Amino acid sequence: MGKPENLALPEIGSHALGTGKLPVEQYVSQEFFELEKEHIFRKSWLLVGRESDIKAPGDYQNFIVDTLGVSVVITRSKDQKLRAFYNACTHRGARLVNAPTGNVRALVCNFHGWSFNLEGDLINVPDAGLFAELDPKQEHLKPIHLDVWGGFIFINLAEKPEWTLREYLKPLDDKFDRYLGNKDWSWSFGWRAKFNANWKLIVDAQIEGYHVDMTHRKTIAGAIPGSNTAAYYFPESVGVPCGVAAYRPEDVSRGMQTPMNLLSAKYGATSIYTKPERQFAAEGGEGVLKEDHPLWIFDNYLVFPNIVLFVQKGQILIQRTLPISADECIWEVDFYHTERPTSFGHVFNMEQGVIQIRDVLSEDLYTAEGIHANFKCGAITHVNLNKQEVPLRAYYNRLLSAIEQSQAKEKP
Amino acid sequence: MSNATNATQSCPETSGLENHLAAWGLPTTEKRLSKRLSSNMEEVRSFYDAMLPRLPEFIEYLNQFPLDAIPKEAHQIAWATLAMCEVDNAINKWNDITLDTGIDILRMIPKKNFPDRGQQ
Ligand code: FES
Ligand SMILES: [Fe+2]
């Protein structure tokens, strides 16, 4: 344990971004949603996958942005490079792949058999002589910007992205890139669910600590007191407007530690809410993990527009929410660890952790649909935010500024 | 953690637990979840109370094998031990089969990998 003065927690939040109520149109207005499609989802860097899932030459992943109708195929070619293309055959527009993932020697269109190599070049046209004039060089698959950071694949649908991925992600710097990109991370478990709610309401529920004591009163309340979660905001950042840090209570006996929690804690560290007897193992993390604070558990960061990335020692947790329409979304959560269980004790520990976090997430997800309906029917036109909820102001500000900047660029 | 390849402990005595092991010794988290959802509190409590005092011994026994070498006759014990994780909150936090302040847990579909979005 650190010296007593190290126990000081960061400021819980701030009024610096204002104190007024916020309107709610951005959650329910169809016009606003059209602006988001055009100026947010077509312009932002979007996290679409993990580099290690597309490892071998010929591996591909098909990523769909439902609301744009955009299907992206991401390939790994023999030169080891990752590339992204619209999943669209240049003959007459058919989709080239339909499975979410796979391995192919070439992308062969099911309609008439045009085939493209993994670099996107048209390499074969059945009965090519039937075409009066066909220049294969002109028929390359339409490329999409792709970059990798922290082992995650991001794409950007803009013709020319405003920012490089690294500029976009500041203040998350190279130290994060190294920690998250460590090849020891492997996917452990995850869930997905559909909601009749605007996509941002699912994000909102993860970027403030004010809800913890009440929302989680039947699971983890006390183990992370709401007063031990601190809000950040990064007004200068393009793609990371805000985040939350969580600390254990000074009094470790707070929170309900069931006999099952205590027993499982002997065998591993998989539950982020149970003080483990063993720590997660992870390489590196200097400048990322706040290990000099004895109570620190995790930081999370909103990666604009739709990702909440939780970073802790030995565990990464990613929550992704994508709209289907203004009123519907798909939420996904994925966990990465650096250790695989090799003994039953660890399996037991992991099972306890998986079930605890599953139940906690089910609480986080409980309010969005009701809120959405209340906004939509007009019962609520404005919301109140306190200083601990400053990340929601930062998120809102970024949403508006991103749209304004993009609109300004398009004006002749 | 003991991971000796030469197991010394023998399979724990389970007489009196047979019915619980048969009912809850189910091979996947999803099956154990459905078992909880289709049980009443009395059944869940009787399983929990019978298993809890035996858990440390079961885990220590199972822990001595490499994961793929846990003897077949101990699988039911292993799965029932994992089922205890599934009923923990119901017993210790909710005093109810389900959490009434969360979404229906069956709406959360377990993923198989990062790109898994089900049928598209
Ligand atoms: S549309 Fe692809 S080959 Fe015709
Ligand atoms: Fe929460």
Side-chain angles (χ1 to χ4, degrees):
Chain A
M1 295 294 273
K3 298 187 200 81
E5 61 267 29
N6 291 342
L7 289 174
L9 298 176
E11 185 49 46
I12 199 165
S14 164
H15 287 308
L17 299 182
T19 54
K21 295 187 179 208
L22 290 191
V24 303
E25 282 95 33
Q26 71 277 13
Y27 296 98
V28 290
S29 139
Q30 189 58 43
E31 295 91 272
F32 194 88
F33 185 65
E34 295 302 323
L35 293 175
E36 287 180 343
K37 281 160 63 173
E38 200 48 41
H39 301 290
I40 305 290
F41 285 98
R42 285 191 188 274
K43 301 289 166 66
S44 303
W45 284 99
L46 303 174
L47 193 160
V48 300
R50 183 84 184 160
E51 194 182 11
S52 55
D53 288 330
I54 313 177
K55 224 180 313 192
D59 282 357
Y60 71 83
Q61 184 189 334
N62 174 10
F63 181 80
I64 294 177
V65 188
D66 304 81
T67 191
L68 299 178
V70 169
S71 170
V72 181
V73 57
I74 299 153
T75 63
R76 171 91 66 184
S77 54
K78 281 206 198 78
D79 62 6
Q80 283 304 322
K81 258 192 89 171
L82 288 168
R83 291 179 178 81
F85 308 103
Y86 285 91
N87 181 13
C89 175
T90 50
H91 172 222
R92 276 169 51 199
R95 291 257 158 102
L96 293 163
V97 300
N98 288 302
T101 54
N103 183 280
V104 288
R105 291 175 58 169
L107 298 161
V108 181
C109 181
N110 281 310
F111 200 174
H112 311 93
W114 282 30
S115 61
F116 301 84
N117 65 19
L118 298 155
E119 289 84 20
D121 305 309
L122 176 59
I123 50 169
N124 187 47
V125 173
D127 299 319
L130 293 173
F131 290 89
E133 42 199 47
L134 182 66
D135 176 5
K137 284 194 193 62
Q138 301 296 313
E139 306 303 330
H140 192 277
L141 294 179
K142 188 174 181 190
I144 291 170
H145 293 274
L146 174 149
D147 202 353
V148 174
W149 176 90
F152 292 101
I153 301 168
F154 290 74
I155 57 154
N156 192 312
L157 297 174
E159 295 281 329
K160 191 178 173 305
E162 266 319 294
W163 322 270
T164 67
L165 179 59
R166 269 149 191 84
E167 288 164 357
Y168 188 83
L169 291 171
K170 273 179 203 161
L172 305 183
D173 57 12
D174 291 348
K175 295 194 269 311
F176 281 82
D177 181 22
R178 276 197 298 277
Y179 180 65
L180 302 173
N182 185 330
K183 64 178 179 358
D184 294 341
W185 293 110
S186 65
W187 185 89
S188 302
F189 55 91
W191 294 273
R192 63 172 188 272
K194 247 183 95 173
F195 290 91
N196 292 317
N198 183 266
W199 62 282
K200 298 186 294 300
L201 287 168
I202 304 283
V203 178
D204 287 352
Q206 296 297 340
I207 54 172
E208 50 87 356
Y210 182 51
H211 75 279
V212 175
D213 295 338
M214 187 63 187
T215 298
H216 299 306
R217 65 195 178 282
K218 293 192 176 179
T219 53
I220 50 151
I224 304 180
S227 57
N228 283 30
T229 67
Y232 321 119
Y233 62 102
F234 306 110
E236 307 300 318
S237 176
V238 181
V240 184
C242 55
V244 174
Y247 296 81
R248 291 193 177 85
E250 290 79 351
D251 172 1
V252 291
S253 65
R254 281 193 62 183
M256 160 96 83
Q257 297 296 346
T258 69
M260 293 295 293
N261 274 344
L262 296 174
L263 187 58
S264 72
K266 289 192 199 308
Y267 297 98
T270 308
S271 168
I272 56 174
Y273 304 116
T274 305
K275 176 128 176 86
E277 293 181 21
R278 288 178 62 238
Q279 286 288 333
F280 282 117
E283 286 300 306
E286 299 79 17
V288 174
L289 306 175
K290 297 178 182 153
E291 294 189 89
D292 51 345
H293 196 297
L295 303 177
W296 179 78
I297 311 173
F298 64 79
D299 287 317
N300 79 27
Y301 301 94
L302 170 61
V303 178
F304 187 81
N306 66 330
I307 307 289
V308 185
L309 171 67
F310 290 69
V311 178
Q312 72 179 122
K313 184 168 169 131
Q315 179 166 273
I316 312 173
L317 187 171
I318 299 139
Q319 300 203 47
R320 299 186 277 169
T321 311
L322 272 173
I324 299 169
S325 68
D327 306 313
E328 292 166 289
C329 62
I330 296 179
W331 162 87
E332 294 172 86
V333 65
D334 291 279
F335 290 77
Y336 282 83
H337 295 104
T338 50
E339 284 184 285
R340 295 260 119 201
T342 54
S343 64
F344 182 79
H346 199 172
V347 169
F348 173 72
N349 162 272
M350 184 111 173
E351 186 77 356
Q352 179 73 5
V354 168
I355 288 171
Q356 292 297 314
I357 190 71
R358 180 196 70 196
D359 292 347
V360 167
L361 288 166
S362 81
E363 295 172 314
D364 285 315
L365 298 164
Y366 189 49
T367 45
E369 290 178 330
I371 295 171
H372 187 84
N374 280 335
F375 289 178
K376 185 119 181 157
C377 76
I380 296 293
T381 58
H382 290 81
V383 292
N384 296 284
L385 297 175
N386 66 27
K387 70 196 296 197
Q388 197 175 10
E389 293 166 304
V390 65
L392 278 84
R393 281 188 202 279
Y395 187 21
Y396 176 71
N397 289 353
R398 184 60 199 137
L399 193 68
L400 296 194
S401 70
I403 292 172
E404 277 161 24
Q405 286 161 9
S406 165
Q407 282 174 321
K409 288 261 150 48
E410 282 176 11
K411 292 229 174 74
Chain B
M1 239 181 287
S2 56
N3 241 338
T5 34
N6 292 328
T8 47
Q9 280 174 264
S10 50
C11 199
E13 175 57 46
T14 56
S15 59
L17 281 180
E18 296 87 346
N19 291 347
H20 290 307
L21 294 178
W24 292 89
L26 304 168
T28 63
T29 307
E30 283 65 53
K31 292 205 166 87
R32 297 186 288 264
L33 170 60
S34 334
K35 173 64 184 161
R36 165 164 71 81
L37 297 177
S38 63
S39 302
N40 62 40
M41 272 315 276
E42 207 179 314
E43 292 161 338
V44 172
R45 192 172 300 282
S46 126
F47 167 64
Y48 182 86
D49 290 344
M51 283 289 284
L52 187 64
R54 307 295 306 279
L55 274 196
E57 177 198 345
F58 290 169
I59 297 168
E60 280 307 313
Y61 166 72
L62 294 162
N63 211 26
Q64 62 188 328
F65 305 101
L67 269 182
D68 53 5
I70 292 177
K72 249 207 152 83
E73 62 270 23
H75 283 183
Q76 214 175 42
I77 299 178
W79 295 332
T81 297
L82 297 176
M84 286 290 280
C85 304
E86 188 58 63
V87 301
D88 178 23
N89 282 344
I91 293 291
N92 292 307
K93 295 183 177 172
W94 312 332
N95 192 28
D96 203 345
I97 291 296
T98 52
L99 174 61
D100 59 359
T101 53
I103 60 164
D104 175 356
I105 207 71
L106 296 176
R107 289 179 66 183
M108 289 173 65
I109 299 164
K111 293 179 66 174
K112 295 186 189 72
N113 49 46
F114 193 63
D116 176 17
R117 290 182 76 189
Q119 286 304 100
Q120 323 207 327

